[in-house]
Amino acid sequence: MERELDYKAIGKRVKIARIKADMKQEHVAEKSGLSPTHISNIETGTTKASLSAIVSVANAIGVTVDDLLCDSLIHARPQFEQDIAELIEDCDDYEIRMVKDITEALIATLRRDAHLRQ
């Protein structure tokens, strides 16, 4: 089964990674050999970025291709675990407890209704 790439999700991850790296689109463009317009189009998901463009952007920003493509990968557990860890790293005790309780309820519901995935 072929899975379609989610270019909007890839673009969102590129933008987030670029911002975390404190880089402007122009700097990513310069380091990747792509035009600033192309970087902008990748970030908005309005273009279907080639594999070579994604690799160039990942290298320019200093992230892995998996970091950018994980929403389109079936086996991307480590990346999603890292995303979850980043989401909760600045939570206070109350927020952590609520996230844990909600996650526990969500997992129970997902497993109870697993037959609906088919």
Side-chain angles (χ1 to χ4, degrees):
M1 173 177 77
E2 190 172 319
R3 185 178 170 121
E4 186 69 27
L5 291 177
D6 185 344
Y7 290 98
K8 290 212 180 287
I10 293 168
K12 181 178 177 183
R13 286 192 176 272
V14 168
K15 183 175 183 176
I16 290 168
R18 175 181 61 77
I19 291 168
K20 282 183 179 179
D22 195 28
M23 297 175 74
K24 296 193 178 301
Q25 286 181 344
E26 293 78 15
H27 190 216
V28 174
E30 183 181 309
K31 286 186 75 172
S32 66
L34 303 171
S35 73
T37 302
H38 194 50
I39 298 299
S40 177
N41 289 337
I42 289 171
E43 286 188 6
T44 59
T46 56
T47 189
K48 290 186 174 185
S50 68
L51 179 59
S52 62
I54 292 170
V55 170
S56 294
V57 168
N59 285 331
I61 298 173
V63 296
T64 70
V65 174
D66 283 356
D67 291 336
L68 303 180
L69 296 178
C70 67
D71 296 295
S72 299
L73 299 173
I74 294 172
H75 303 287
R77 183 181 179 121
Q79 180 60 46
F80 291 124
E81 288 174 345
Q82 179 181 335
D83 290 349
I84 291 167
E86 288 175 8
L87 286 169
I88 64 171
E89 73 184 10
D90 67 341
C91 289
D92 63 25
D93 291 347
Y94 174 76
E95 292 169 334
I96 288 287
R97 181 178 178 162
M98 294 305 297
V99 168
K100 181 256 183 204
D101 290 348
I102 290 167
T103 303
E104 197 170 62
L106 176 60
I107 290 170
T109 300
L110 287 170
R111 290 181 178 164
R112 182 192 71 221
D113 297 336
H115 66 284
L116 298 175
R117 289 186 202 183
Q118 312 311 332

